[in-house]
Amino acid sequence: MYLYKNDTIIPVKVLECLKTGDVVDDRVIAIETIVAKMYNTTVHELDVYYKDSPAKLMTCFLIFDLLHYSIPSIAVKYKINSHFLKNKIRDTYKKCLQDHSFLEYVDGLRTALKQKNEVCNV
């Protein structure tokens, strides 16, 4: 298994990753931080299983859109039903196509992420 951390690709043993849970993609942390600031919430609130807030859904959308993670893996991390998340991501894409102001808002989030240490390549 390979991991993207500090702008380098590191080989990691899967068992080590599962045991410690310490291995994290820095880009996901950056996305969580930016979205939490924009929605005036904490990063911890994005991981609450019983509350699918707009901030949590936007985080999942940006991880899918910018980092190309699979929907099932995002659903597991954020404790959301995979089919529900798939529909919400599809709805977000549709809203971007239909509502120009919402598209500008999403582009603003993407720009903020790019400015934060050139985290994501879009």
Side-chain angles (χ1 to χ4, degrees), residues 26-88:
D26 289 338
R27 302 171 299 170
V28 173
I29 294 170
I31 289 173
E32 290 176 342
T33 304
I34 294 291
V35 171
K37 279 185 185 177
M38 294 295 282
Y39 281 87
N40 197 22
T41 187
T42 63
V43 174
H44 171 68
E45 288 293 320
L46 300 175
D47 201 20
V48 177
Y49 73 92
Y50 57 85
K51 184 177 178 186
D52 295 334
S53 65
K56 184 178 187 177
L57 295 173
M58 182 57 73
T59 302
C60 294
F61 170 75
L62 290 173
I63 290 171
F64 176 77
D65 184 51
L66 298 175
L67 305 180
H68 308 292
Y69 277 35
S70 70
I71 291 176
S73 67
I74 297 169
V76 168
K77 178 175 180 358
Y78 291 99
K79 300 166 187 82
I80 301 177
N81 181 292
S82 183
H83 297 292
F84 172 77
L85 182 59
K86 180 180 178 182
N87 289 334
K88 287 298 181 180

Side-chain angles (χ1 to χ4, degrees), residues 5-23:
K5 190 168 187 166
N6 295 329
D7 295 329
T8 57
I9 297 175
I10 305 168
V12 177
K13 294 180 182 175
V14 176
L15 186 59
E16 177 184 323
C17 180
L18 293 175
K19 281 183 181 176
T20 62
D22 293 337
V23 184

